[in-house]
Amino acid sequence: MRVLLMSLLALPLPLPALASDYSCNFSKECYEDEACAASDFTVEVRSGEDKMVTDFGTFPILAKRDEPDVLTVFVHSEGAVYLLSAGPRAARFTAHVTQGPQSITYLGLCEKVG
């Protein structure tokens, strides 16, 4: 896990003029090893502001990879880390909470906006 996090932090950020914003909608939520349930969770990636906006807060983006078929965003907040991975047909958002520890995975789609 440390290697993954360190490699994400080492990724270069794209120039703001080339950056895209994204709107993501997640229809399934999977908590730990419980069965997945319906969800209406949303995430916005505001590249020009270097922020990720979720239903539970706005966070600065620490690392981002934005290529034609790959979007990966890494965010850290007090008590948790978040990873968004998206491609043309699917997106995953995971929240890793340090208390417990525990994790929640959201399944859905992301689209470029603007």
Side-chain angles (χ1 to χ4, degrees):
M1 180 71 170
R2 285 184 197 211
V3 172
L4 173 64
L5 292 178
M6 294 307 290
S7 65
L8 287 173
L9 292 174
L11 292 172
L13 294 175
L15 298 173
L18 302 174
S20 298
D21 290 343
Y22 292 85
S23 176
C24 305
N25 295 295
F26 298 95
S27 60
K28 284 191 177 181
E29 176 185 81
C30 309
Y31 175 75
E32 291 286 329
D33 62 353
E34 297 176 7
C36 296
S39 174
D40 188 24
F41 181 68
T42 62
V43 172
E44 290 180 20
V45 176
R46 296 182 183 168
S47 297
E49 301 173 28
D50 284 332
K51 295 196 184 293
M52 176 185 283
V53 180
T54 72
D55 294 347
F56 51 86
T58 299
F59 309 100
I61 294 173
L62 294 180
K64 181 175 68 167
R65 178 179 177 194
D66 188 358
E67 297 178 3
D69 289 335
V70 176
L71 171 66
T72 306
V73 180
F74 179 73
V75 173
H76 180 269
S77 71
E78 188 170 325
V81 294
Y82 308 103
L83 177 62
L84 170 66
S85 300
R89 292 180 293 279
R92 301 293 184 263
F93 179 87
T94 56
H96 297 262
V97 182
T98 54
Q99 186 179 24
Q102 54 188 318
S103 67
I104 305 168
T105 300
Y106 293 91
L107 312 174
L109 295 169
C110 291
E111 296 179 334
K112 280 187 183 182
V113 294

